[in-house]
Amino acid sequence: MALKVAFQMDPIELIDINGDSTFALLLEAQSRGHDVFYYTPPNLSLKDGRLIAFGHSLTVEDKPGDHYRLAHPHTVDLADFDVVQLRQDPPFDMAYITTTHLLERLQPGTLVVNDPASVRNAPEKVFVLDFLDLMPPTLVTRSPDEIRAFRAEHKDIVVKPLYGNGGAAIFRIAEGDTNLNSLIELLGQTFREPIMVQRYLPSVRAGDKRIILVDGEVAGAINRVPAADETRSNLHVGGTAKKTTLTPREEEICARLAPELKKRGLIFTGIDVIGDYLTEINVTSPTGIRQVKEFGGNDIAAMIWDVVEKKVAAR
């Protein structure tokens, strides 16, 4: 079944195709014969009640440095499409939130993946707070006194912006570290939102596991091991991807999340688990597809498109 598919994403010339999940989805869409249209968020407009986008027909090739071809620049009515893939990376700011409000107007005629209302209501570090019993001790606040008291209680903490992404501005502050007050001041001046503070988990040295779920079902996982001189395990800051399997605790976490993910229309989700604890639920632009396949795991892009095609056919 050939579909008309639009990808709302970051500039395609800037992506790293070796690890980019959006590129994997593009390759799979093309292999299935879907008609792919590409545009970037600034080219999305609402005109007289019609949601339109200026962009290009797109073909892709798994060839670094020569991975895409753009053709036929034109403006389309997104209501004419079967599927829109919402795939731009955070920051999860008002610009991002506005695109979810606009894309929500396409429903129910056009399937948006992930559901834009659910993306808007499920920021990575906020949605996860619905499952506090699965998380390490966590504080969300702008109060310096609360942060200092939290460190006094837990000794070793991690401080991060509530709407950050990609490991940016994440700091470990151990007991006795005299930088805490300066860091609170810096984050308070830089971000208007509250700060997230969590107890540091020493088990992160063994890895921060990314588990990918497709329509609530486990599709694959990779373990991301931080470099010796890093707290963060993100691959783009030096973390190393390792083959992995799920522990019984991780299977329990996934089973807890599955009904809520399905109910919210979150088809493609990546969760992060350190040791026995859930730390994030990624719904805006999850990554990890190519790494899972590289280590002999499932073809998750194919699994996602199987679900998308089934949902379109059922409309």
Side-chain angles (χ1 to χ4, degrees):
M1 173 177 61
L3 302 177
K4 288 188 66 176
V5 179
F7 275 75
Q8 177 173 307
M9 58 181 286
D10 299 311
I12 193 165
E13 66 272 16
L14 300 180
I15 65 174
D16 176 6
I17 69 170
N18 293 316
D20 193 275
S21 290
T22 302
F23 192 73
L25 291 169
L26 284 166
L27 287 170
E28 183 64 21
Q30 181 173 278
S31 73
R32 295 180 179 223
H34 298 329
D35 181 17
V36 177
F37 178 80
Y38 150 81
Y39 70 95
T40 56
N43 289 310
L44 179 69
S45 305
L46 185 68
K47 182 179 181 181
D48 298 328
R50 295 167 50 242
L51 194 60
I52 60 175
F54 173 79
H56 297 78
S57 299
L58 173 67
T59 56
V60 290
E61 184 177 358
D62 201 359
K63 184 178 178 182
D66 189 23
H67 60 276
Y68 70 97
R69 295 286 185 276
L70 301 179
H72 312 302
H74 59 294
T75 297
V76 300
D77 187 334
L78 289 175
D80 294 334
F81 284 72
D82 300 298
V83 180
V84 173
Q85 289 275 2
L86 172 55
R87 288 295 307 172
Q88 86 251 27
D89 288 337
F92 190 78
D93 54 13
M94 286 307 300
Y96 203 119
I97 290 170
T98 300
T99 68
T100 67
H101 282 293
L102 294 177
L103 290 172
E104 196 175 359
R105 295 169 178 267
L106 294 173
Q107 297 174 318
T110 299
L111 176 65
V112 183
V113 182
N114 284 318
D115 178 87
S118 292
V119 168
R120 183 173 65 248
N121 293 331
E124 275 80 345
K125 297 180 184 69
V126 177
F127 179 24
V128 71
L129 298 174
D130 289 353
F131 303 92
L132 281 171
D133 61 309
L134 302 177
M135 298 178 65
T138 298
L139 170 70
V140 178
T141 187
R142 283 187 65 85
S143 167
D145 289 342
E146 291 291 343
I147 297 173
R148 284 190 285 267
F150 190 88
R151 186 178 65 163
E153 178 182 0
H154 296 288
K155 312 304 180 186
D156 201 349
I157 62 173
V158 172
V159 180
K160 48 191 171 183
L162 192 61
Y163 296 110
N165 67 289
I170 293 179
F171 297 90
R172 176 188 176 188
I173 302 292
E175 185 177 21
D177 190 324
T178 59
N179 290 306
L180 179 60
N181 289 332
S182 294
L183 179 60
I184 293 171
E185 180 180 314
L186 175 63
L187 293 177
Q189 292 173 349
T190 304
F191 302 99
R192 297 179 61 188
E193 301 81 18
I195 297 165
M196 175 172 273
V197 189
Q198 293 180 315
R199 186 179 72 196
Y200 174 72
L201 300 174
S203 51
V204 73
R205 302 312 311 170
D208 179 350
K209 195 171 293 187
R210 165 59 55 87
I211 305 171
I212 299 173
L213 297 99
V214 176
D215 204 24
E217 303 297 325
V218 174
I222 56 166
N223 195 29
R224 301 168 299 174
V225 179
D229 60 348
E230 261 286 0
T231 297
R232 302 169 297 173
S233 59
N234 307 74
L235 299 182
H236 72 277
V237 296
T240 302
K242 301 284 187 180
K243 187 174 182 178
T244 191
T245 57
L246 298 195
T247 66
R249 170 62 170 172
E250 290 160 352
E251 291 174 350
E252 174 192 345
I253 290 172
C254 292
R256 279 279 307 280
L257 298 180
E260 191 65 24
L261 298 177
K262 290 178 70 71
K263 184 177 80 173
R264 293 180 181 230
L266 296 170
I267 293 173
F268 178 16
T269 308
I271 71 170
D272 295 338
V273 178
I274 299 175
D276 289 334
Y277 294 101
L278 174 68
T279 59
E280 290 191 14
I281 304 174
N282 298 275
V283 304
T284 49
S285 184
T287 60
I289 286 181
R290 304 213 84 180
Q291 290 85 359
V292 168
K293 188 175 181 182
E294 177 185 342
F295 285 105
N298 289 324
D299 185 343
I300 298 175
M303 296 172 71
I304 292 169
W305 279 112
D306 286 346
V307 170
V308 169
E309 290 172 357
K310 183 177 180 180
K311 289 184 179 291
V312 171
R315 286 179 172 245

